[in-house]
Amino acid sequence: AMVAGPTVGVRRLTPRECERLQGFPDDWTAIQYRGRHAADAPRYKAIGNSMAVPVVRWLGWRIEAVERKEE
């Protein structure tokens, strides 16, 4: 049986997978909007407009370290 053919493409990441890559908890962007669950498109946009949690944490540590040295 043929497993993969010429029409096989690259699978898009789910919003949950994108949240995990950014360091957010699962379903962080799965909010209620006008009484319904938010569609995937605004979730992708919110995730894309955010900064990765580990990066922001590291930046905070570095700023704190520099400020301590200046005192």
Side-chain angles (χ1 to χ4, degrees):
M2 186 179 216
V3 176
T7 60
V8 174
V10 177
R11 180 181 68 81
R12 172 183 260 191
L13 295 175
T14 65
R16 181 176 287 168
E17 291 169 326
C18 292
E19 290 167 340
R20 289 176 179 175
L21 287 171
Q22 288 285 71
F24 295 127
D26 286 356
D27 298 324
W28 183 254
T29 59
I31 61 168
Q32 291 284 325
Y33 179 70
R34 295 185 179 172
R36 307 172 96 185
H37 287 289
D40 285 351
R43 291 180 69 188
Y44 284 118
K45 186 174 183 177
I47 295 164
N49 286 336
S50 64
M51 293 183 65
V53 174
V55 173
V56 174
R57 185 178 298 124
W58 181 85
L59 287 171
W61 288 334
R62 295 297 298 150
I63 290 169
E64 183 180 46
V66 169
E67 287 180 349
R68 269 191 264 122
K69 286 182 181 180
E70 290 179 358
E71 291 177 352

